[in-house]
Amino acid sequence: MNQHEPSLALTNALLIDGTGGPVIDGATVVVSGGRIAAAGTGAPVPPHATVVDLEGKAVLPGLIDAHVHLGGLGFRSTPPFGGRAATDDYAAAREGALRYGVTTQRSLGDFLHDSIAVRDGIENGTLAGARVVTSGPSFQVEGGHPNATVWGSEPAAVREGARMPKTAGEAERMVDELAAAGVDLVKIIISNNAIFGPARPELKMPWHLTEAIADAAHARGLRVAAHTETVEDARTAVERGVDDIEHLVLRAEEPQDEAAAEALFALMADRGTYLVPTMVAHQFEAAADGDARTLRYGNHLVRRAYEAGVRLGVGSDAHSPGLHGWKLRDELVMMVHDQGIPAPAALSMATKTNAELLGIADRLGTVEPGKSADLLIVSGDPTQDITAIGRVHQVIRSGRVVFDGEGA
Ligand SMILES: [Zn+2]
C-alpha cells in the first residue's frame, strides 16, 4: 500500500496492542502507507478510508516465531544450494506461517545462501511469506548435531549449514565470514547429542569456543543464541556470553536439581538473558515416545522462569517436526494451559518481547503509530480464551492482506 492507496480503518475491534496493557474494546486501527497511523478508541477515521467493521473480532500485532528452521527439502541435502529460495523447498516455511498469523520468523540454523535469499526476497517483495531474521548456519562440533545426526555429514549440507571451528581463531574468522554474508545473529549448538541415540557428550561444543564465538559476534554487533539441553549447560552458556537460551532442556532425566534451575533463572533475570523454551517440540516427542518427562519438567521450568522474571520469548522449532505457524499457536496454548502464564502476557511475549529479542522492536511487535502494519485479526478474544488465536480471520503484512480466513 503506497500513499496513493486509500487508508484502511479497522473499526469496532478489540485491540490487543502487544504491550501487555489492558485490551481496548471498540478500538479503531488506521493503516496508511503500510504503517499504523493511529490506534485506540478515539482514533479518527480519515476521509476516503476503506472502513472494515470488526465487531466480535480482535486485532493483534502479527505474531513472531523466535525459533524456526526454514528447511529446504525436509533437511535432506540436494546440491546445489542457493537459488532454491523461490522453489517448493521453502514455500511451506515462507507462506504457511502467514496462515496462522505469524508475520515474522527467526531462522536459527539453516543453509546460509538459501536462508539469506529467502529473507531478502521477502523483504524486497519478490517472494511471498513471513519476514525472516536469520542466523544462517549454526556453530557445531564435527560428528555431532545436526551435521552428522540430521545431514549424515553430507558435504554440501555441512558446508552451507554448519560452521565447525577447531580453535578460537578459526571461530572468530567464521563469525567474520557469516557477518560479511549478512546474517542477523549467531547460533551455537551446545548438545550432548542424545537426540537421536545414546548421549555423546564428548561431541559437545567446548566452552572456550563458545566464548570465542560469543565475543566475536558481540564485537560485530550480533547477538548469540544457544541451543542447550540441560540447566547446567544453559548456566555455563550464559556465563560465557550467550544472550539467548533455546530449548533449555531436552531428554530430561529425573530427578531434577531445583536449586540449580533457580540459580540459572536468577542469573538470566539479572543479565536480561532471553529464554525461548520451544516446549511444543517436547509435545511431539512425548506423543511419539509415550515419554512425557521432558515435557512435564520443561513446562515446570518455564513456569519458574516466568516467576523469576526471565525474559521469555516464544518459538516453535518448526519444522522439526511440525508446520510453521501452526506450531507457534500450539506453543501459545501450552504456555497458558500447561505453564500457567496469563494469556495477555503470553501474547505480549510472542509479539513485543520477540520483537525485542530479534532486534526489530523499532518497527514491529506492537500496534502503535509508526510501526509496520503487520496485524493478526482473529474471531473472539484470545486474552480470555487463548485458543481463539487459531481462529484466524485475516492476516495483514505491511498494510496488505496476505491471508484471508474467509469468514473465520
Ligand atoms: Zn531448532
Side-chain angles (χ1 to χ4, degrees):
M1 186 178 286
N2 60 40
Q3 284 97 325
H4 305 294
E5 291 180 69
S7 299
L8 172 68
L10 307 170
T11 63
N12 213 9
L14 189 70
L15 175 60
I16 302 164
D17 66 10
T19 64
V23 299
I24 302 163
D25 206 359
T28 297
V29 176
V30 178
V31 173
S32 185
R35 293 182 181 279
I36 295 158
T41 44
V45 175
H48 312 300
T50 303
V51 178
V52 179
D53 186 327
L54 291 181
E55 166 83 49
K57 295 185 168 60
V59 177
L60 305 89
L63 301 176
I64 298 171
D65 191 334
H67 187 138
V68 306
H69 301 277
L70 298 174
L73 298 180
F75 281 117
R76 295 301 159 198
S77 59
T78 301
F81 288 90
R84 297 191 295 126
T87 70
D88 287 349
D89 301 344
Y90 287 91
R94 284 191 287 109
E95 299 177 49
L98 292 175
R99 304 173 61 88
Y100 296 91
V102 174
T103 50
T104 303
Q105 309 188 90
R106 184 171 65 154
S107 125
L108 283 185
D110 271 302
F111 301 128
L112 177 60
H113 293 97
D114 282 349
S115 61
I116 286 183
V118 170
R119 179 195 67 190
D120 293 349
I122 289 167
E123 201 54 44
N124 67 29
T126 56
L127 291 175
R131 301 172 197 274
V132 169
V133 167
T134 185
S135 70
S138 56
F139 281 85
Q140 308 163 21
V141 173
E142 189 170 359
H145 180 68
N147 61 84
T149 53
V150 179
W151 301 324
S153 303
E154 204 284 320
V158 170
R159 189 173 60 244
E160 280 290 315
R163 290 296 176 274
M164 305 185 293
K166 297 279 197 295
T167 66
E170 210 176 355
E172 194 177 340
R173 285 193 294 280
M174 287 174 173
V175 171
D176 269 339
E177 174 236 331
L178 294 181
V183 303
D184 300 300
L185 76 154
V186 166
K187 165 88 181 285
I188 309 176
I189 304 283
I190 299 171
S191 174
N192 290 308
N193 298 285
I195 303 171
F196 297 95
R200 296 191 64 190
E202 73 277 12
L203 292 177
K204 186 159 72 184
M205 182 69 73
W207 292 114
H208 74 281
L209 293 183
T210 290
E211 190 169 333
I213 294 162
D215 286 349
H218 291 156
R220 286 147 192 83
L222 300 176
R223 280 205 178 128
V224 180
H227 160 124
T228 69
E229 301 175 1
T230 67
V231 166
E232 188 190 347
D233 282 353
R235 180 176 179 124
T236 310
V238 172
E239 288 169 349
R240 297 295 181 123
V242 165
D243 306 298
D244 159 20
I245 296 295
E246 300 290 315
H247 312 305
L248 182 58
V249 289
L250 283 177
R251 299 280 180 214
E253 306 288 331
E254 289 170 310
Q256 305 293 344
D257 186 342
E258 287 287 322
E262 295 300 323
L264 168 67
F265 297 144
L267 178 69
M268 291 177 76
D270 186 50
R271 290 204 177 194
T273 314
Y274 290 86
L275 172 62
V276 180
T278 70
M279 285 301 138
V280 70
H282 300 316
Q283 198 175 42
F284 277 83
E285 181 187 291
D289 303 354
D291 179 353
R293 284 180 304 173
T294 305
L295 180 60
R296 269 201 311 274
Y297 183 54
N299 282 333
H300 166 73
L301 285 180
V302 178
R303 171 75 201 177
R304 301 309 292 264
Y306 172 68
E307 289 168 347
V310 175
R311 292 182 190 180
L312 284 173
V314 188
S316 71
D317 209 6
H319 57 39
S320 55
L323 296 174
H324 291 78
W326 176 69
K327 275 185 87 174
L328 191 76
R329 177 201 65 183
D330 276 11
E331 180 80 8
L332 278 165
V333 171
M334 287 178 72
M335 290 172 78
V336 176
H337 289 176
D338 302 333
Q339 296 157 14
I341 295 172
L347 291 167
S348 183
M349 291 168 191
T351 52
K352 179 174 181 277
T353 307
N354 272 358
E356 291 163 357
L357 169 60
L358 271 60
I360 54 176
D362 57 329
R363 55 201 167 95
L364 292 161
T366 58
V367 183
E368 292 178 296
K371 296 231 174 152
S372 288
D374 284 20
L375 301 169
L376 165 59
I377 303 169
V378 299
S379 295
D381 178 0
T383 66
Q384 297 296 319
D385 170 12
I386 190 64
T387 65
I389 202 73
R391 292 197 282 279
V392 177
H393 173 68
Q394 245 177 13
V395 181
I396 293 172
R397 219 207 74 193
S398 296
R400 285 199 180 89
V401 175
V402 287
F403 176 72
D404 198 327
E406 286 166 11

